[in-house]
Amino acid sequence: MVQLRCIRIEALREEKMTWIGLAQMRDLAGFVETRQQLLTLKPNHRMNWIGFAVAQHLNSNGSKAVDILEAYEGTLEDDYPPDNERCEHGEMLLYKISLLEECGMVERALEELRKKEPKIVDKLAYKEQEVSLLEKLGRFDEGEELYKKLLSMNPDNYRYYEGLQRCMGLYSASGQYSPDEIDRLEALYASLSKQYSRSSAVKRIPLDFLSAEKFRLAAESYIRPFLTKGVPSLFSDLSPLYDHSGKADVLEQLVLELEHSIKTTGGYTGRVDKEPPSTLMWTLFYLAQHYDRRGQYDVALRKIDEAIEHTPTVIDLYSVKSRILKHAGDPVAAAALADEARCMDLADRYVNSECVKRMLQADQVALAEKTAVLFTKDGEQHNNLHDMQCMWYELASGESYLRQGDLGRALKKFLAVEKHYADITEDQFDFHSYCLRKMTLRTYVEMLKFQDRLHSYPYFRKAAAGAINCYLKLYDSPSKSSAEEDEEMSKLPPSQKKKLRQKQRKAEARAKKEAEVKEEANATAVSRSGKRPIKPVDLDPHGEKLLQVEDPLAEATKYLKLLQKHSSDSLETHLLSFEVNMRKQKILLALQAVKHMVRLDADNPDTHRCLIKFFHKVGSMLAPVTDAEKLIWGVLEAERPTFTQLQGKSLIEANALFLEKHRDSLTHRAAVAEMISVVEPSKKKEAINLIEESSNDLVSSNGALGLPVKKWRLKDCIAVHKLLGTILDDREAALRWKVRCAEYFPFSAYFEGSCSSAVTNSSYHQMHKLHENGSPNESSLPLSSNGNIEKLEALKDLVIQ
Amino acid sequence: MVCIRKATVDDLLAMQTCNLFCLPENYQMKYYLYHILSWPQLLYVAEDYNGKIVGYVLAKMEEETTECHGHITSLAVLRTHRKLGLATKLMTAAQHAMEQLLSYSDLAISLRPPFVLVIVKVYGAEYVSLHVRKSNRAAFNLYTETLGYKIHDVEAKYYADGEDAYDMRKQLKGRKHHHHHHHHHHHHGGGCCSAETKADEKPGSTEAKTE
């Protein structure tokens, strides 16, 4: 049991209290005890009362905490607080009231809130607290009034609108409303719109609940002013609507009409005034993003190119084009374009970051790094990104290295992200006594909850998953540095071996000396300038030491545990758990993973794979000998029937059944095919046929523009290609698949589609270059200022027709 | 559209990412925690319809020996979300909250070890300050034209890359001893929030702050 340490209480003065022991603060009972002792010893110090109350609260004793705070209040004078403590006192009161709310004493909370109103400084917090209590008490009329008041203070907070709707009985979390409700909502927002004409929330929210003709009218009147003004985020704002059935089609029609109208009459339909030229550009900009979203990349590119031709100086256009190319499967071309955008505003970090992001997606790590450090502090530029906890960058780098198989560097990046999370966890310790003094107790408690959930945040999850994947790969194919090198060495004649060894030793010694010299230089710098030394030299810059870890699976398990604790509702967590535990031969843990996967998503292809692989492995295990093995056997016997997919069937039959259920889905067919190769290895041909016979159906006969939109996603097709090439090991089938997919995904660099940058004299690129230059005989082509090499390569073999 | 609301501790990681993406002046998470745990009323975020943080303002109360004033530590809006008036709305929300704090707070607590409690007397002036790069025209125009800031001073080589900064200030709504109320009509929405702040004025507290 972890002890709470604190400096001897008798000898301590409040200011010198250092809560080192609060590192183990989650020993709540101990914390309570200590705070009680402190209070007994020094009852006239405010902090001790508050500290004791907070301790009780954290120890799930909210009502006791309230009692303590009330007792504390009782010790105060009537005219308390003095002006210079009003803020703190107000915060304490709000904390007490929130405690009452938490304990379910809602009536009392409201009473207390209203009674203490003059003493509460933070008026906004007061109202927000009040409205929450009113709602809980079902006093909806009062709640409605208060939400309206809050809206008058901030008509841009859509949570107030939600609250208002709730109080009027007009809120549905799923967004489904009856026709009658829709009418009432319409009326509500019509009147709100008159009051808050400058707020776009009043106009945007109705687009969610309206449909058909009403939707079209509202959408049109919403969109027009934004196109005229030229708001780049219009599409992003409307994008949730694309998940509402039918609305995407309405929007398409609507905006195409606007485009047509502007092109023919210079203005919107039914309007006399002409639109400024930029309106057309922003309309095309919207359409490009629209078609991108709908998977019609050819049309999207056409639209954005038209926009660029219209006004080549607008950076947003290039950013969107870059995104389209990325979605369409050409990350290299996307990165080149993002770089072009970056060069148009070298002072803007946002475009720089976007460019770096694209470069990392295109696996151009060195270039990305060079570009990123343009905005870091001088000196140890690369370290600065780490010091500033730039996790998006480290994560994207790590993922790129992993894709490229550079496990050492990948691990270094993933572990760097993990370190930030560890540091952030440490940060809280400096604030415990600080918050008690500042009285920002509600936020303090919020922070503690945040800390407890810290590892559920996306960056950590991705970093942990990345690290685990690295360790799995490392386990499956141990690094070259030890095994293969030794093998190569043993083949050499002894004299050469000796020379090689000497060389190696010399190199190591040199590296060590360099590091020492650097350290010394740093140290002298300290003594001279008196400032803190620069960061110690990184002795493992490429993560080689990380690769030489004794037990990669043990390392992986460390991260796995955190994922299991904080992200147990994610299928990926359990998929990783399965992979790790199968390799560790931890049968029961692997079984648990499978069970979780079935619980979360039984029809998922990955779940199916794990289920079959698991029981196939179990089926091939030898009869149990030891007691431990017998125990495991027993558990397995008991557990197998709980899987309905397997009841009374062989694995082969279960596999076939899964296929029947999901005949039309490529990813499911691929999973079935893979499992055929596992349980019936002789039937590999059938497995491959199963995949090749899959048909890529149309999503819908969507408009006359561009290529028809089909079901298959690029990501899934790439996965199938890898499956054919590796596990199913049929080079020719893989090649056939590649050719087929190149048709479906002409922009995909992976499949070397005809329009992708991977195909050097793709007709798309030729046309594009001709377009850019105006004259087909121009021999020098525009390059971005950092001499983008990728573009050069692509143009080397350009044949001008 | 984009929701302007008070930041919560759960927003801090996203705010940090937004800051790293947009600005070269960055901070470690601890600094964000310090802000929210000291002045939770002053941090605001802009959240889009998809729940992504597309802008934020990080503000604090500056505790100097002679006066207490607000300070904008950092403000950023993603480039993709410009032209929506988000920066103005964020600043306005923070400034409004500062006005409230300045009405009541004279106390400054130094948090440097060894945790000595420092009580600071405050005199008159309530203002909010910020730094902006000399070359940042867009931001400069926002502060001067839309929000009413004025140049107070130039700080040479303020930024790490050697660029100078304008030290800018804006007077906030006067305290009780200012006898005329100017309503600062903030540029958000249609409602006037001054109706609210009026109610905050305590009738009996018009005496000037004493030593």
Side-chain angles (χ1 to χ4, degrees), chain B residues 30-59:
Chain B
K30 194 161 174 180
Y31 200 50
Y32 291 85
L33 286 167
Y34 163 59
H35 276 74
I36 206 172
L37 291 169
S38 310
W39 310 280
Q41 315 89 326
L42 302 184
L43 276 62
Y44 275 80
V45 290
E47 180 186 31
D48 77 0
Y49 231 63
N50 299 302
K52 179 176 172 195
I53 301 299
V54 300
Y56 69 89
V57 65
L58 198 62

Side-chain angles (χ1 to χ4, degrees), chain A residues 139-254:
Chain A
R139 288 156 69 160
F140 295 124
D141 288 334
E142 289 170 82
E144 194 183 314
E145 281 316 302
L146 192 46
Y147 272 120
K148 286 185 176 161
K149 196 143 189 226
L150 282 165
L151 278 170
S152 74
M153 291 163 70
N154 180 4
D156 289 307
N157 187 333
Y158 41 70
R159 294 181 180 188
Y160 296 160
Y161 291 103
E162 278 176 21
L164 180 61
Q165 280 180 232
R166 276 196 307 268
C167 288
M168 296 174 74
L170 285 172
Y171 182 73
S172 150
S174 65
Q176 306 297 340
Y177 297 99
S178 71
D180 177 58
E181 286 171 331
I182 292 178
D183 285 338
R184 288 175 58 206
L185 280 167
E186 247 193 290
L188 170 65
Y189 280 93
S191 90
L192 285 172
S193 166
K194 287 205 194 79
Q195 269 185 289
Y196 307 118
S197 52
R198 305 265 303 271
S199 155
S200 31
V202 276
K203 301 193 195 82
R204 172 62 179 87
I205 294 171
L207 296 182
D208 287 338
F209 58 75
L210 291 172
S211 55
E213 186 56 21
K214 287 198 171 150
F215 170 76
R216 201 186 70 79
L217 288 168
E220 185 157 5
S221 84
Y222 184 77
I223 289 174
R224 283 184 181 190
F226 283 121
L227 289 177
T228 307
K229 184 163 184 205
V231 169
S233 57
L234 175 62
F235 178 80
S236 148
D237 179 40
L238 296 176
S239 66
L241 295 171
Y242 284 69
D243 294 326
H244 300 193
S245 114
K247 290 187 179 171
D249 289 332
V250 173
L251 288 168
E252 181 167 318
Q253 222 181 22
L254 206 160

Side-chain angles (χ1 to χ4, degrees), chain A residues 70-99:
Chain A
E70 303 237 287
Y72 160 69
E73 261 188 289
T75 69
L76 303 169
E77 302 294 329
D78 275 337
D79 63 355
Y80 188 87
D83 265 352
N84 61 4
E85 281 180 41
R86 291 186 76 96
C87 284
E88 283 82 356
H89 189 69
E91 282 293 316
M92 188 278 289
L93 291 169
L94 282 169
Y95 175 61
K96 188 180 77 168
I97 290 158
S98 74
L99 281 175

Side-chain angles (χ1 to χ4, degrees), chain A residues 365-566:
Chain A
V365 188
L367 192 55
E369 192 178 312
K370 255 179 45 192
T371 312
V373 299
L374 292 170
F375 275 92
T376 58
K377 306 272 187 274
D378 47 29
E380 284 298 304
Q381 298 163 330
H382 197 223
N383 280 348
N384 182 266
L385 286 167
H386 180 73
D387 291 342
M388 288 301 122
Q389 302 171 326
C390 195
M391 289 186 260
W392 74 262
Y393 172 80
E394 289 174 326
L395 200 51
S397 297
E399 288 174 348
S400 177
Y401 281 130
L402 178 54
R403 280 192 295 270
Q404 298 177 67
D406 189 339
L407 300 181
R409 285 187 172 86
L411 270 175
K412 217 151 154 70
K413 293 295 180 187
F414 293 131
L415 268 48
V417 173
E418 195 268 323
K419 168 130 201 324
H420 295 316
Y421 273 80
D423 289 341
I424 293 172
T425 310
E426 288 279 317
D427 286 341
Q428 65 175 304
F429 307 141
D430 290 327
F431 291 109
H432 291 313
S433 50
Y434 178 70
C435 288
L436 293 183
R437 263 184 299 121
K438 271 290 209 173
M439 285 289 218
T440 46
L441 303 166
R442 291 171 301 146
T443 318
Y444 172 63
V445 170
E446 220 180 89
M447 180 202 64
L448 293 175
K449 291 189 188 154
F450 162 75
Q451 289 285 1
D452 286 340
R453 281 197 322 259
L454 189 62
H455 290 83
S456 68
Y457 279 75
Y459 283 159
F460 176 76
R461 270 201 340 247
K462 293 185 186 172
I468 294 172
N469 278 315
C470 283
Y471 285 122
L472 285 172
K473 280 201 158 77
L474 198 55
Y475 177 85
D476 289 344
S477 35
S479 70
K480 212 179 161 174
S481 45
S482 38
E484 277 190 40
E485 262 180 27
D486 288 345
E487 227 191 275
E488 284 171 21
M489 277 262 278
S490 63
K491 297 199 186 109
L492 297 168
S495 56
Q496 284 224 311
K497 249 195 245 178
K498 195 170 172 200
K499 264 196 186 159
L500 197 60
R501 281 219 185 85
Q502 272 179 349
K503 233 179 151 187
Q504 278 178 346
R505 245 179 279 138
K506 267 196 176 154
E508 278 171 34
R510 212 185 311 130
K512 198 162 172 223
K513 192 71 174 110
E514 262 181 47
E516 282 172 18
V517 166
K518 256 189 166 164
E519 283 281 344
E520 268 179 50
N522 286 353
T524 43
V526 174
S527 49
R528 247 187 279 131
S529 65
K531 289 208 292 195
R532 296 215 69 231
I534 319 161
K535 296 288 173 273
V537 175
D538 189 350
L539 295 167
D540 186 20
H542 306 309
E544 275 147 16
K545 284 222 190 87
L546 292 170
L547 291 177
Q548 277 145 32
V549 71
E550 284 283 316
D551 187 355
L553 293 180
E555 294 298 314
T557 307
K558 282 197 319 214
Y559 299 104
L560 184 62
K561 290 210 164 108
L562 282 166
L563 279 182
Q564 285 169 319
K565 181 167 177 207
H566 294 279

